[in-house]
Amino acid sequence: MGPRFALTYAKKYLPKIAWDFFAAGADDCSTRDENILAYKRIRFRPRMLRDVSVMDIRTKLLGTEISFPAGIAPTGFHQLAWPDGEKSTARGMLLTYSTCTLEEISAAAPDSLRWFQLYIHRNRAVSQQLVQRAEALGFQGLVLTADLPYTGKRRDDVRNGFRLPPHMKLKNLEGAFEGDDRSEYGLPPNSLDPSVTWNDIYWLRSLTHLPIIIKGILTKEDAELAVRHGVQGIIVSNHGGRQLDGGPATIDALVEVVEAVQGRVEVYLDGGIRKGSDILKALALGAKCVFIGRPALWGLAYKQGEEGLQEVLRILQDEFRLSMALAGKHFAGWLKLVIQRFLYASHLKTEV
């Protein structure tokens, strides 16, 4: 079993409205699909007769060691895939729009590395309370999603008239809004704040001591602004191709962002990761870690929730370790500095 098998299983057994929600991209889905296709244009130049008898695939995120450079990306409504929802995916980022509370996630994974992903609402008090709750519960980072002033047009959701099932609630936002209209992915229409700017980073910094990671950066200009405004990390992301259709694949945007920040902040990536060799390509081009979204959900739908998710992660980890060895490297921490020199990309050729 691997991510592809889990995908096939999830597509077959999930209700159509749930599958379409998870699988959907914006408009023609060209960016969603390009996220995957872009990896196929990257080729390794492996080196031989290197001692790879002992492999070290550990890395650190903002000083905290993790066993493998992959985590779970923030994706919404995990209970659509499995009844335990986000309690089964507590290794990684908890979404504001979770169907489990911050407290439930903390109890389910007290020793894991947990970041809280935030959308800023027009009612700033709602966002402020969430940030302060997350810090009090021991979350180690705050991830601000920057690419969603408005929700992208996801045609399958429009066709299906997507609504959360009546028994499913956005637990972290219960009681936060007046009225009964929850037609926009469990929220009242127009509850997100489209006036958010770079200056709001300073507002967030005034609320918390947590490191701030900004998610949704695709250009060198925004990468420079992120560094200038004091963030500690950048996630190169296009929201899984669910926002602006026609933007770059994240693996293509990664090179530009890494070159712009020059090691001043850590850079991560999500989007299109389907194999362990994809993780190796992302790290070779400068990412510190990757985050997986849809494959984690497929894993949840397969084999009793967390068990299926752990199997997907285990296979990705085994594939990553093997790809590293076959490329001639034994230490993940050196990938940005060394493997990159042995890699051809569609737009990049670096020399030894």
Side-chain angles (χ1 to χ4, degrees), residues 149-161:
Y150 300 98
T151 303
K153 186 176 182 181
R154 302 159 194 173
R155 293 177 183 173
D156 285 345
D157 290 346
V158 174
R159 270 192 294 269
N160 294 331

Side-chain angles (χ1 to χ4, degrees), residues 163-184:
R163 298 288 188 276
L164 279 182
H167 69 280
M168 204 174 293
K169 307 292 182 186
L170 300 183
K171 293 287 190 69
N172 292 309
L173 296 171
E174 285 190 298
F177 304 104
E178 297 179 356
D180 297 324
D181 186 350
R182 298 292 184 269
S183 59
E184 192 168 303

Side-chain angles (χ1 to χ4, degrees), residues 27-245:
D27 295 314
D28 293 330
C29 300
S30 62
T31 297
R32 179 201 66 181
D33 297 342
E34 186 65 14
N35 274 350
I36 298 172
L37 293 172
Y39 283 94
K40 300 181 186 300
R41 294 193 293 269
I42 299 172
R43 295 290 181 266
F44 295 110
R45 294 186 64 235
R47 297 298 302 275
M48 302 300 139
L49 299 178
R50 303 291 184 99
D51 183 356
V52 291
S53 57
V54 178
M55 304 295 296
D56 185 354
I57 61 172
R58 296 172 297 173
T59 192
K60 290 184 177 180
L61 299 191
L62 300 178
T64 300
E65 184 176 286
I66 59 174
S67 60
F68 165 53
I72 309 300
T75 49
F77 313 144
H78 292 190
Q79 282 187 0
L80 290 173
W82 180 250
D84 282 347
E86 288 81 2
K87 285 184 282 187
S88 294
T89 51
R91 173 192 169 178
M93 282 182 257
L94 174 64
L95 190 67
T96 298
Y97 302 157
S98 169
T99 46
C100 299
T101 66
L102 279 79
E103 289 77 10
E104 289 171 328
I105 299 299
S106 295
D111 300 321
S112 68
L113 175 64
R114 287 170 286 117
W115 289 352
F116 179 65
Q117 184 269 348
L118 179 74
Y119 294 106
I120 296 180
H121 292 87
R122 293 177 189 268
N123 183 348
R124 292 295 180 96
V126 171
S127 299
Q128 178 174 341
Q129 290 164 8
L130 286 170
V131 170
Q132 292 168 342
R133 275 173 64 194
E135 183 168 10
L137 287 165
F139 283 75
Q140 295 107 312
L142 178 66
V143 178
L144 173 65
T145 291
D147 60 1
L148 206 145
Y150 300 98
T151 303
K153 186 176 182 181
R154 302 159 194 173
R155 293 177 183 173
D156 285 345
D157 290 346
V158 174
R159 270 192 294 269
N160 294 331
F162 179 84
R163 298 288 188 276
L164 279 182
H167 69 280
M168 204 174 293
K169 307 292 182 186
L170 300 183
K171 293 287 190 69
N172 292 309
L173 296 171
E174 285 190 298
F177 304 104
E178 297 179 356
D180 297 324
D181 186 350
R182 298 292 184 269
S183 59
E184 192 168 303
Y185 296 99
L187 292 171
N190 302 313
S191 62
L192 290 173
D193 188 350
S195 72
V196 174
T197 71
W198 288 102
N199 287 333
D200 288 299
I201 301 289
Y202 299 130
W203 173 68
L204 286 177
R205 289 173 63 187
S206 75
L207 302 180
T208 180
H209 296 293
L210 293 176
I212 295 174
I213 301 99
I214 191 162
K215 176 179 177 288
I217 302 302
L218 294 167
T219 64
K220 63 183 180 182
E221 292 86 357
D222 280 341
E224 287 282 3
L225 284 167
V227 174
R228 194 182 311 162
H229 285 81
V231 306
Q232 282 76 46
I234 289 171
I235 301 176
V236 177
S237 174
N238 55 29
H239 220 96
R242 295 163 70 83
Q243 284 298 102
L244 176 66
D245 201 27

